[in-house]
Amino acid sequence: MSNLPREVCDAFVANQIEAVLHYSGRSARAFLESIRAAGVEISALSIPQYCISAGVASVVRDAGATQVVVAASPDENALFALLDRALRV
């Protein structure tokens, strides 16, 4: 059973979500479990995954994500700066 709201699952499938932010390995693993349970793993892992550290990035890379980006430093400001630059393109 997925703990993702149906609206979120629908948004992944419809390509309406532009990125996913990952703050810890634990939350990244919880995200992966949720998208698998919901049946949206392929859609959810096909979009950019922004990670606070290399360790967190390895969790989503190992799960099959191909657009994994790591913040310059392991803090929220660096993660947001990364996201801001990416969304301006």
Side-chain angles (χ1 to χ4, degrees), residues 10-30:
D10 292 344
F12 275 124
V13 172
N15 296 317
Q16 295 174 331
I17 296 177
E18 294 184 48
V20 178
L21 302 180
H22 298 285
Y23 284 83
S24 71
R26 181 177 163 199
S27 65
R29 285 186 291 279

Side-chain angles (χ1 to χ4, degrees), residues 62-88:
D62 290 348
T66 57
Q67 297 183 67
V68 180
V69 187
V70 180
S73 59
D75 59 75
E76 190 172 58
N77 287 337
L79 188 60
F80 284 163
L82 185 67
L83 180 65
D84 185 53
R85 281 193 306 275
L87 294 179
R88 285 186 191 185

Side-chain angles (χ1 to χ4, degrees), residues 51-62 68-70:
C51 303
I52 201 161
S53 70
V56 174
S58 69
V59 173
V60 292
R61 258 192 214 103
D62 290 348
V68 180
V69 187
V70 180

